[in-house]
Amino acid sequence: MSSSSEQSVHAMFTQIMQAVTQSHAEIADLRQECADLRLANASLERQIREGLQYNLQFPRNGTSGFMTPSPPSPQLRGKLSPFLSHAIPSLAVTSYEPLYRPSPLGDNALTAFHGGSRDIPGFYVVIPAGGAGTRLWPLSREGHPKFLLDLTLKGRSLIQATWDRLLPLSSASRTTVVAGPSHVKSIREQLPDLLPHNLFCEPGPKDSMAAIGLAAAILAKRDPHAVIGSFAADHMISGDDAFLSAVAEAVEVAQKDYLVTIGIAPSHPSTGFGYIRLGDKLGFKDAPNARLVSSFKEKPDARTAASYIATGAYRWNAGMFVTKATFLLELLKEYKPTLHNGLLKIAEVWDDESARQLVLNDVWSSLEKIPIDNAVAEPAAAEGRVAVVPATFGWDDVGDFSSLADLLPAEANQPRVLGEGSLVLTEQVAGGIVVPGSGRLIACLGVDDLVIVDMPDTLLVTTRARSQEVKRLVKKCGDAGWKQLL
């Protein structure tokens, strides 16, 4: 072999060895990164198990009640009971970081939300707080529905987490709650900063249109320029920055006489939620992601839901609405004039308690019971008067024990536990959720994906797959004479 050939082979061999050495180094780096990630995950799991206040480190980017900031006044309560029975120190929040507006559709750059405060002048929060306590029965009851429960075991009920999340936008003076008589006392206890004149008590359940319409009529009388945002008391949200920026964008659109909803990016083809079909972009400078609502779709079957997801043109309807109070009343007058007139009669005398009660007794029972979607959103969308802000934050309405289980941490191949973990012993058990609410030991052997809710007066056993049917049992309880358990 010639000298030049030998040099060529040597050079090639040297290059191969260098490549192998570099490859070994890269593999070593990857192994180290994997090891670091395993350690970080183990640390996070340990923190969750021990119930540490992780929100002290990352105060505003996580799940409601877990990483949502709490104002200094309402007292944080027990970590181990969904009924908030043990006091722990409150956390004070004195300042907020500048808000950035992320693009839910990925087609706009991050833009700063101007100003040192998140407060939106003229924006009023409306929190409808109703429910029959059937979907999470027997953990929730008629007199203690799920919005009063701490379902994250981090010291805040769902309504407290909702209050915490929205307070930066409106302050206590412009945050209102609509609730029934049986829940007023508990709401006042859990929200001590809620001003008495901002708690609107409806005599009986009339669905969301009457509740939101009542608040709109009262607030329009107090402030004719009010923009209201309605947000249910019992939903769980993660990603507070994305949530707040979506609301701020919705307010901008609402100022231009639209009924605005916030569309949630679907994570799976759910059959339990309604859907919003996205229409054309509106092209507003201060609301770059806003679109017209092409149509609202009812809860679909699995195949239809999957086809919706495949198009990329649908969002979950979370029932969040932002609009001028007067514009909502205009829509109501056009589509449901009788309901509109009744609510105006009530609002006219609302601040006079004696007159209010007389008018409520005369009018409320005759009001139509109808959701806001059917009453105004669907017909207005057909006329191009409804907009949607597609958003990126995580959302769940905690509609059954199966969805609740997905929101709780758990060891690998173990059931989720809502409550004191030492009261649950398992052997060869995977999945499911256990609520040890009675204080006695629950032992499970060789069963998977069960829902076990053990309360002092009632024991529920079902499967995750059938957990949406729990309200059928509640009806049977009432029919069988067990009304005291409802």
Side-chain angles (χ1 to χ4, degrees), residues 124-130 147-148 159-160 162-163 166 172-180 183-184 186-188 190-202 211-212 214-215 218-219 222 229-233 350:
Y124 293 76
V125 168
V126 177
I127 303 175
F147 68 79
L148 295 172
I159 193 171
Q160 287 174 320
T162 302
W163 171 277
L166 290 160
S173 65
R174 301 196 312 275
T175 303
T176 66
V177 176
V178 186
H183 304 145
V184 165
S186 296
I187 289 171
R188 283 177 173 157
Q190 291 201 6
L191 301 178
D193 280 357
L194 175 63
L195 302 179
H197 70 277
N198 282 344
L199 178 53
F200 306 145
C201 181
E202 52 179 353
I212 299 168
L214 174 63
I218 295 170
L219 293 174
R222 294 179 183 176
S230 173
F231 307 92
W350 187 263

Side-chain angles (χ1 to χ4, degrees), residues 288-351:
N289 302 299
R291 294 169 173 258
L292 283 173
V293 170
S294 174
S295 61
F296 288 92
K297 303 292 185 182
E298 298 294 334
K299 297 175 182 178
D301 57 36
R303 178 175 293 182
T304 304
S307 69
Y308 287 169
I309 300 297
T311 67
Y314 287 85
R315 296 294 183 270
W316 283 339
N317 179 11
M320 303 178 190
F321 290 97
V322 179
T323 186
K324 287 181 182 176
T326 52
F327 183 69
L328 180 61
L329 294 174
E330 287 176 18
L331 295 177
L332 193 58
K333 183 178 182 180
E334 182 175 343
Y335 301 122
K336 294 291 178 181
T338 303
L339 181 53
H340 167 269
N341 294 338
L343 292 174
L344 284 193
K345 284 181 184 178
I346 297 170
E348 192 64 33
V349 298
W350 187 263
D351 290 325

Side-chain angles (χ1 to χ4, degrees), residues 208-475:
S208 57
M209 187 67 258
I212 299 168
L214 174 63
I218 295 170
L219 293 174
K221 190 171 184 295
R222 294 179 183 176
D223 180 359
H225 303 292
V227 175
I228 65 170
S230 173
F231 307 92
D234 58 359
H235 292 179
M236 295 180 73
I237 287 173
S238 60
D240 283 356
D241 276 342
F243 170 77
L244 294 177
S245 57
V247 174
E249 194 167 345
V251 172
E252 293 290 342
V253 181
Q255 296 281 12
K256 299 172 175 61
D257 287 338
Y258 285 92
L259 176 62
V260 189
T261 185
I262 296 175
I264 310 299
S267 60
H268 62 282
S270 171
T271 60
F273 302 141
Y275 286 74
I276 300 166
R277 182 174 175 82
L278 303 180
D280 295 334
K281 286 189 175 183
L282 285 169
F284 296 141
K285 180 181 177 182
D286 294 327
N289 302 299
R291 294 169 173 258
L292 283 173
V293 170
S294 174
S295 61
F296 288 92
K297 303 292 185 182
E298 298 294 334
K299 297 175 182 178
D301 57 36
R303 178 175 293 182
T304 304
S307 69
Y308 287 169
I309 300 297
T311 67
Y314 287 85
R315 296 294 183 270
W316 283 339
N317 179 11
M320 303 178 190
F321 290 97
V322 179
T323 186
K324 287 181 182 176
T326 52
F327 183 69
L328 180 61
L329 294 174
E330 287 176 18
L331 295 177
L332 193 58
K333 183 178 182 180
E334 182 175 343
Y335 301 122
K336 294 291 178 181
T338 303
L339 181 53
H340 167 269
N341 294 338
L343 292 174
L344 284 193
K345 284 181 184 178
I346 297 170
E348 192 64 33
V349 298
W350 187 263
D351 290 325
D352 182 341
E353 287 192 28
S354 57
R356 177 204 307 169
Q357 197 55 52
L358 289 173
V359 175
L360 281 173
N361 292 341
D362 182 50
V363 174
W364 190 262
S365 62
S366 65
L367 297 181
E368 183 178 0
K369 186 175 183 179
I370 186 172
I372 188 173
D373 303 72
N374 303 132
V376 297
E378 291 172 0
E383 298 178 355
R385 303 160 84 181
V386 182
V388 57
V389 174
T392 57
F393 56 84
W395 169 85
D396 200 291
D397 73 344
V398 202
D400 55 39
F401 283 107
S402 181
S403 62
L404 175 58
D406 290 334
L407 300 171
L408 296 173
E411 300 286 343
N413 300 319
Q414 290 294 313
R416 269 72 170 175
V417 178
L418 182 67
E420 181 54 67
S422 64
L423 293 174
V424 180
L425 292 180
T426 63
E427 178 65 27
Q428 296 181 347
V429 172
I433 178 172
V434 180
V435 183
S438 71
R440 60 187 168 190
L441 179 68
I442 298 175
C444 303
L445 171 63
V447 290
D448 299 333
D449 278 333
L450 286 187
V451 174
I452 301 173
V453 185
D454 185 27
M455 306 304 292
D457 56 357
T458 314
L459 170 65
L460 168 71
V461 180
T462 183
T463 63
R464 284 189 62 170
R466 301 292 295 273
S467 60
Q468 280 199 349
E469 303 173 46
V470 166
K471 56 186 176 183
R472 290 168 54 186
L473 273 183
V474 178
K475 183 179 183 303

Side-chain angles (χ1 to χ4, degrees), residues 57-80:
Q57 296 178 19
F58 302 95
R60 283 194 344 275
N61 294 318
T63 316
S64 60
F66 180 26
M67 293 162 66
T68 303
S70 55
S73 183
Q75 291 299 305
L76 287 172
R77 301 197 183 177
K79 294 184 294 182
L80 298 178

